[in-house]
Structures are given as C-alpha cells and as structure tokens.
Amino acid sequence: PYLGQGGHAYLQEWLWWAGLLCMGVGEAANFAAYAFAPATLVTPLGALSVLVSAVLSSTFLNEQLNVHGKIGCILSILGSTVMVIHAPQEEEVSSLESMAEKLKDPGFIVFAVCVLVSSLLLIFVAGPRYGQSNVLVYVLVCSAIGSLSVSCVKGLGIALKELFSGKPVLKEPLVWVLLVCLVICISVQINYLNKALDIFNASVVTPIYYVLFTTAVMMCSAILFKEWQHMVLDNIIGTISGFLTIVSGIFLLHAFRDMPFTSDLLPLFLQQGRADLHASWRSTDRHQSCQHQPLLPSEDKGFQSTEEEEEGESV
C-alpha cells in the first residue's frame, strides 16, 4: 500500500514511531486525569493540545498563525474556562463493584451495542464504498470506539487507585476484561485515524474528529456515570456553550490556517464602506489643501508688491 491510499506505509517511518511514543506519554497523563475528574470535563479540555500544537508549530516550524488562528486560540481558551467553571459532577464510583454495576446498566448496554453495530457497518459496509471519498466514515469509527475506550480507562483508573491502596484487584476478572477491551479500542482508533489522516488533509480531519469524539464521550459518560442527572440549568447551558465555543475556535484554527487575511476577504458591504471611507478622507485632504493653497500665493504676491514699491521709491 502507498501513502495517500489509507495503507500502513507509515509503519516504516521512525518519525511516526517517535510521535506515537510522545502521544503515549501524553495519553498516560490523560489516563490519570480520567481517574480523578469527570470525562465530560477531561475530554473537551483536549482542545488545549490542539492550541499548544498550533503555537509550537508557529514557533519552531515557522508555520504562519494568521488572524483566524489567533482568534481560534482565544476562543478555545475561553470555552475551556467556561467548561471548567460549569463542569458536571459524576456519581461517586469508588470501587470495581460499583463500576461493574454501572456497566450492567441497561442504558449503557444499549448504547454499547449501538456503538458496536454502527462501527461494524461503517468498517465493512460503508468503508469499502465511501472510505476513500468521505472523511466521516473513518472518523466516525474512531469517535464511536473512542467513547468505549474512555469508559475502559475510567474503570482501570479506579482499579489502579484500589491497587495502590493495597487491595488485590489483579484477581478481579473485570480488570482484565477492561484492559483487553482498551487495547482493542485503542488499536482500532489508531488504525482508522491514521487511515483518515493518510487520505484526507489533517486540517479537515482534526476538527471533525475532535467534535465527534468529544460528543460521543460526553454521551457515553452521561449514560454511564449519570453526570447530567443532577445538573442545574445554568451549568447545562454553560457546559454546552463552552463546548460550542471550543468547537468554533478549533474550526477557525484549522479551516483557515492556510488562508492569508486581506481586505479582499471582507464582505462586499464592508469593502464598499472601506472604499467610501478612503474616498471621504481623500476629499477632506484635497479640501484642506485647496484652502491652504490661496494663502501662500497671496502672501507671495503681497511680498512681491512690497518689494516693487520699495524699488520704485529707491529709483
């Protein structure tokens, strides 16, 4: 398989493996965050990694960060701040037994079955037909499977906390089931995300993947941990507004990253107003210059007539 065809040629590049290692370190820190905070809060804050990536690319790779990108960075920071302020509180899950009870909830079982069935349809039915032409096919697979991987991470985080407290959690079958499911989910995500990035432009894949993945994780977390059940209306509106603000910032940051900002990009009415403003300035300057022009010749004429009178008297 060749690059640009959704193959696996990137596995031969050492730079890809180095990037994967760095991503692994970052995901380990992200793993720890899921163990102590609601998934609805942790996942949207991943937008800050996109922001940091844009700033570092502008600094070290000499990539241009235009006006749209700077506005997108500001919107991402504001949206993240709003989401932190209005973050939901999940139900307390302090043991593997309570985690197992939540995984047996009928609502979560229906959600998981829907995710698996839709992912299989996308992989085996829609993928061969539309995978090379529609960016949503592979990105939807990554997002749907990613919502289940976050649930596995949450359960393993609880297991690690119990392990550090001295409990024999390694004897629990649920721990190994969650670990196997996590490895499978992450493998599927990496495979199909790289397919999408290999076929389509990263500036298109990144914002779409962020929006779909975050939406899927928020839905899964709301069903599994009942995070939205006890939220007041103000916090619901604040969380949704913060998320939409982040989405707008990510869109501006990526969709217009290669577009220079000039006056030609302004709407027609703004260009007309700008032209009228310049015309008014020019007419004002001309009017002022016309007002000053008669003064100088009159002074010169007066000065010349005075000299002529003095010369006549001297003669």
Side-chain angles (χ1 to χ4, degrees):
Y2 297 94
L3 287 174
Q5 299 297 324
H8 299 86
Y10 56 85
L11 295 176
Q12 302 175 2
E13 298 290 336
W14 68 268
L15 190 61
W16 183 87
W17 287 104
L20 183 65
L21 179 62
C22 294
M23 288 178 62
V25 175
E27 290 301 322
N30 199 28
F31 179 92
Y34 279 113
F36 298 100
T40 306
L41 175 61
V42 176
T43 305
L45 291 181
L48 296 179
S49 64
V50 181
L51 185 151
V52 172
S53 175
V55 174
L56 292 180
S57 298
S58 176
T59 304
F60 296 103
L61 301 180
N62 296 323
E63 293 185 2
Q64 295 296 326
L65 189 62
N66 56 14
V67 176
H68 300 90
K70 294 176 182 179
I71 296 175
C73 292
I74 295 174
L75 288 177
S76 299
I77 294 175
L78 292 177
S80 301
T81 304
V82 172
M83 287 206 70
V84 170
I85 295 174
H86 298 280
Q89 297 295 324
E90 65 184 8
E91 289 186 358
E92 184 65 25
V93 183
S94 57
S95 63
L96 286 176
E97 289 78 9
S98 58
M99 184 67 187
E101 292 297 327
K102 290 188 175 299
L103 292 175
K104 295 177 183 177
D105 184 75
F108 177 74
I109 293 175
V110 171
F111 175 80
V113 170
C114 291
V115 166
L116 292 176
V117 171
S118 61
S119 299
L120 291 175
L121 290 176
L122 287 170
I123 292 172
F124 295 106
V125 178
R129 295 182 182 179
Y130 310 107
Q132 299 290 328
S133 58
N134 195 328
V135 67
L136 291 177
V137 176
Y138 294 140
V139 174
L140 279 173
V141 174
C142 299
S143 304
I145 298 298
S147 64
L148 298 181
S149 67
V150 169
S151 303
C152 297
V153 167
K154 192 73 175 179
L156 291 174
I158 295 171
L160 282 178
K161 287 194 294 185
E162 291 191 350
L163 180 63
F164 292 149
S165 63
K167 296 182 180 180
V169 295
L170 297 179
K171 298 180 180 179
E172 296 288 338
L174 180 61
V175 175
W176 300 105
V177 171
L178 291 175
L179 182 60
V180 171
C181 292
L182 179 62
V183 172
I184 294 174
C185 291
I186 291 178
S187 301
V188 172
Q189 281 183 266
I190 292 176
N191 181 33
Y192 287 98
L193 182 59
N194 279 282
K195 280 180 177 291
L197 291 172
D198 195 20
I199 298 171
F200 303 99
N201 196 330
S203 62
V204 177
V205 174
T206 302
I208 295 176
Y209 175 65
Y210 171 79
V211 173
L212 294 179
F213 174 71
T214 306
T215 303
V217 170
M218 291 173 68
M219 289 175 58
C220 180
S221 183
I223 295 172
L224 182 60
F225 298 107
K226 308 295 189 298
E227 294 179 349
W228 298 69
Q229 188 172 359
H230 303 291
M231 288 181 66
V232 297
L233 182 61
D234 294 344
N235 290 334
I236 293 176
I237 296 175
T239 302
I240 295 176
S241 300
F243 175 62
L244 294 178
T245 304
I246 294 175
V247 170
S248 302
I250 296 296
F251 178 77
L252 285 175
L253 186 60
H254 284 273
F256 304 102
R257 67 186 309 172
D258 298 326
M259 181 181 295
F261 185 79
T262 61
S263 59
D264 296 335
L265 299 176
L266 294 174
L268 292 177
F269 70 93
L270 289 179
Q271 294 183 17
Q272 184 65 33
R274 189 168 175 266
D276 294 341
L277 184 61
H278 278 291
S280 64
W281 285 348
R282 290 175 182 175
S283 63
T284 303
D285 293 338
R286 289 176 181 175
H287 181 67
Q288 290 179 353
S289 62
C290 291
Q291 288 179 347
H292 289 287
Q293 282 177 359
L295 294 178
L296 295 177
S298 63
E299 291 177 356
D300 293 337
K301 289 179 180 179
F303 182 75
Q304 291 176 358
S305 61
T306 304
E307 288 182 348
E308 291 175 358
E309 291 177 358
E310 290 178 354
E311 291 176 358
E313 291 176 358
S314 61
V315 173

